[in-house]
Amino acid sequence: MPRRSKRKYVMISSVAERYDIHPQTLRMYEREGLLKPRRSEGNTRLYDDEAIARLESILILTRDMGVNLAGVEVILRLQEQLEAMAAERDRLRELLDRQARERSTAILRKHALVRIRSAPLVKRGES
């Protein structure tokens, strides 16, 4: 049985109406590479939450801030790069934290008053 996606998709007409924007404008954003809606088997554009959030960013930049589409493209690309760099920073921070914990544990074992061995315990009289 094929798995169904739990994502919610909205058709272009609903998105256009919701944001008071002409469907041709949405198609233009797609042609310019600013939006990448999914496609149904019948080739209908389908917008998920991620695409809608990106559209909202585009509309804020163009309508509220007066940024042209070339500027929008640059800003969105920079945002994506910043998000990727933040994810990499978080990954590296976790790696460093884990290495620091491992070193700390190794130092504690090395300088323990009683040496901790990883060999299995042998009961008396079993040798």
Side-chain angles (χ1 to χ4, degrees), residues 63-75:
R63 288 178 175 174
D64 301 342
M65 302 177 81
V67 177
N68 64 22
L69 293 184
V72 169
E73 182 181 6
V74 170
I75 291 167

Side-chain angles (χ1 to χ4, degrees), residues 70-121:
V72 169
E73 182 181 6
V74 170
I75 291 167
L76 293 177
R77 191 172 351 104
L78 288 172
Q79 283 179 333
E80 289 168 359
Q81 289 174 349
L82 283 171
E83 289 169 7
M85 290 170 59
E88 179 67 6
R89 179 204 60 217
D90 293 343
R91 187 190 70 78
L92 290 171
R93 181 176 290 145
E94 176 57 35
L95 176 66
L96 290 172
D97 288 346
R98 186 173 56 244
Q99 288 176 346
R101 286 190 303 271
E102 289 170 0
R103 282 194 190 112
S104 176
T105 301
I107 290 170
L108 288 174
R109 286 183 179 202
K110 182 178 179 181
H111 297 293
L113 294 175
V114 176
R115 185 152 287 216
I116 302 171
R117 296 185 184 183
S118 56
L121 294 174

